[in-house]
Amino acid sequence: MNKTDFSDLKAEFDQFVREKCDTEACDTSGDSNPDNEPVPGFVDELTDKLLAPYHSGVYFSRLDIKRVAEAIDESIPIKERKKMLQALFRHTTRKEYLRVAFDEFNRHFGGRILIYTELSEAFPASKAIFDANIAKIKNTQKLLDQIVEDYEEIEATDEPMMV
Amino acid sequence: MNELTARSNIYALLSRIMLQELDVEILNTLMNDETVLEFLPHWKEWEQRTSVPPQKLLEEHLNPDFTNLSLLHLVPYETFYTRADQMIETGGANPVTDIYSAYDFIVDYGVARVVSSDHIGVELEFMHHLCQAQIKAVEEGDSDSAAELQTVQHRFLNTHLLQWAPMYLINMKYESRTPLYYDAAEMALEFILSDNEMLSAGA
């Protein structure tokens, strides 16, 4: 591709932007952005505790969250981790959905506990560090159980203003 | 002394791999040095290591993988893992700043291309720096300084690197797309843990 081709491409792109965006048709700052839609009350606490390695003892990457979503037949785009979790739980109405989703997170936690335990046994001088991480994982798992327990299901017939 | 030199060299190698994209010079070392290849078994056996031209290997395989693992999907900074708010401390309040200053270790952010001094590549380089200082002390017959520097290495490992790097390296291993970074993650994890065993036994 030569310089002229790039100039043509840029001119074409600028034209496209002028035509499509000058009308604000592609404005994503308004309420039409699904990322700005409200989420259930538990999601904020969940994202704080689950995503921070300081609290959870593991790092959930974007790909990890994507895998959890796929395991429960949900399709979410890869973006900022917090937004991915919000997308996963935004339309939660059933306790069973939460249980199944958290089971997948627990499977991930279980894998990490196994790795930490193996490393502790192989390298006992670092055991205290891995034990601390395992304790954090178990606390986070308790939090997940608590969220499921406290969750109140929403019926389709419920009065929206009362939810 | 041989063991100390070997530790110093391994910290330097791991620091280089973790800090930035590779260039042809370091790639040549990783491709041809038999000692290095012994540490990286999957990389050693990877057919494309020898069949793909080095520049293409860098541009189409290794450096995109590095970018995914260090910039896009994972976070190689200590404070991200050790702060409740997951923020990277980019200022003087970073917990590694004091110990770096105490041992004359200065981070050149422009050269390192990191946003904070607690990047895994920088922390590994600091361990290399301490090992080099210990080598110098041993050569000069200063056994007190040599012992102190070993104690500092042990302390730095336990108060910094080991507190968070295993979390990053475990993710790095499972999210890598090339055998080089898979092996490098495993090598780094096992090396810092086994180094802690050795340093703890001598403490």
Side-chain angles (χ1 to χ4, degrees):
Chain A
M1 190 176 266
N2 62 34
K3 260 188 176 175
T4 319
D5 291 334
F6 274 122
S7 302
D8 290 349
L9 188 63
K10 186 174 183 313
E12 238 177 81
F13 181 73
D14 289 345
Q15 181 64 25
F16 172 81
V17 170
R18 270 194 299 278
E19 286 173 5
K20 297 292 179 189
C21 295
D22 280 2
T23 58
E24 297 183 358
C26 57
D27 182 9
T28 57
S29 60
D31 288 339
S32 60
N33 185 350
D35 286 345
N36 295 334
E37 288 175 17
V39 292
F42 68 86
V43 175
D44 282 342
E45 186 183 15
L46 181 69
T47 52
D48 282 349
K49 295 285 162 48
L50 197 64
L51 296 184
Y54 173 85
H55 290 299
S56 69
V58 303
Y59 174 71
F60 276 101
S61 70
R62 291 188 277 193
L63 295 180
D64 290 329
I65 299 169
K66 179 81 178 162
R67 285 188 200 111
V68 167
E70 283 172 355
I72 58 170
D73 294 327
E74 290 289 330
S75 175
I76 55 172
I78 289 185
K79 50 173 84 172
E80 191 189 329
R81 295 186 308 148
K82 186 173 180 177
K83 288 190 171 137
M84 290 178 77
L85 271 192
Q86 288 173 336
L88 192 57
F89 293 109
R90 176 166 285 116
H91 302 297
T92 305
T93 54
R94 294 281 166 209
K95 199 175 263 204
E96 181 57 21
Y97 177 84
L98 272 186
R99 184 72 273 165
V100 171
F102 288 171
D103 281 348
E104 283 305 317
F105 282 104
N106 278 327
R107 278 159 60 92
H108 186 94
F109 278 135
R112 284 297 188 271
I113 288 176
L114 201 62
I115 293 171
Y116 291 162
T117 306
E118 283 175 3
L119 290 172
S120 295
E121 287 166 3
F123 304 100
S126 305
K127 186 175 185 298
I129 292 168
F130 291 116
D131 284 350
N133 281 338
I134 290 172
K136 287 178 181 179
I137 290 175
K138 290 187 172 166
N139 280 339
T140 309
Q141 287 178 311
K142 279 185 199 159
L143 171 75
L144 299 186
D145 288 341
Q146 194 62 49
I147 288 173
V148 175
E149 203 174 298
D150 294 347
Y151 187 76
E152 289 179 14
E153 294 195 347
I154 302 166
E155 296 297 332
T157 53
D158 282 350
E159 167 58 48
M161 296 307 288
M162 300 301 288
V163 173
Chain B
M1 188 68 168
N2 285 345
E3 186 181 48
L4 182 54
T5 306
R7 289 177 55 233
S8 180
N9 290 341
I10 293 173
Y11 275 119
L13 175 70
L14 291 172
S15 165
R16 176 62 189 85
I17 294 173
M18 302 285 167
L19 192 61
Q20 289 180 352
E21 302 91 337
L22 302 179
D23 54 32
V24 173
E25 188 186 349
I26 183 74
L27 181 62
N28 278 334
T29 304
L30 293 170
M31 284 174 60
N32 303 315
D33 188 311
E34 280 303 320
T35 310
V36 171
L37 285 171
E38 288 305 311
F39 286 112
L40 308 167
H42 298 93
W43 165 245
K44 184 182 180 184
E45 297 303 321
W46 194 38
E47 188 266 332
Q48 285 163 284
R49 179 176 67 85
T50 48
S51 65
V52 177
Q55 198 61 38
K56 190 174 179 185
L57 200 58
L58 286 176
E59 289 173 359
E60 295 183 13
H61 298 274
L62 300 177
N63 290 344
D65 199 22
F66 175 86
T67 305
N68 273 331
L69 297 169
S70 298
L71 299 171
L72 294 180
H73 293 302
L74 305 179
V75 187
Y77 293 91
E78 175 180 335
T79 37
F80 172 82
Y81 294 84
T82 54
R83 285 176 55 139
D85 61 6
Q86 307 173 70
M87 300 298 280
I88 297 168
E89 173 57 67
T90 58
N94 194 293
V96 295
T97 306
D98 288 347
I99 193 165
Y100 286 179
S101 299
Y103 291 92
D104 296 328
F105 183 73
I106 298 165
V107 180
D108 186 331
Y109 292 96
V111 174
R113 290 196 286 119
V114 295
V115 298
S116 166
S117 53
D118 58 354
H119 187 282
I120 188 168
V122 178
E123 292 199 0
L124 289 166
E125 190 180 338
F126 181 61
M127 286 298 289
H128 163 72
H129 175 79
L130 293 174
C131 289
Q132 286 300 108
Q134 191 184 353
I135 288 170
K136 188 164 180 274
V138 171
E139 283 171 349
E140 291 172 355
D142 185 351
S143 54
D144 287 347
S145 295
E148 188 206 320
L149 284 160
Q150 184 157 317
T151 304
V152 175
Q153 291 162 36
H154 185 228
R155 193 167 74 229
F156 185 75
L157 265 185
N158 280 275
T159 52
H160 294 283
L161 261 174
L162 288 172
Q163 294 292 330
W164 69 279
M167 283 187 265
Y168 171 69
L169 293 168
I170 289 167
N171 275 83
M172 181 181 174
K173 180 177 165 183
Y174 291 117
E175 298 203 5
S176 59
R177 294 286 177 270
T178 60
L180 176 65
Y181 286 104
Y182 179 92
D183 283 349
E186 187 161 85
M187 176 186 171
L189 180 60
E190 292 195 1
F191 177 69
I192 57 175
L193 289 168
S194 60
D195 204 38
N196 191 41
E197 294 297 309
M198 190 276 289
L199 293 170
S200 297

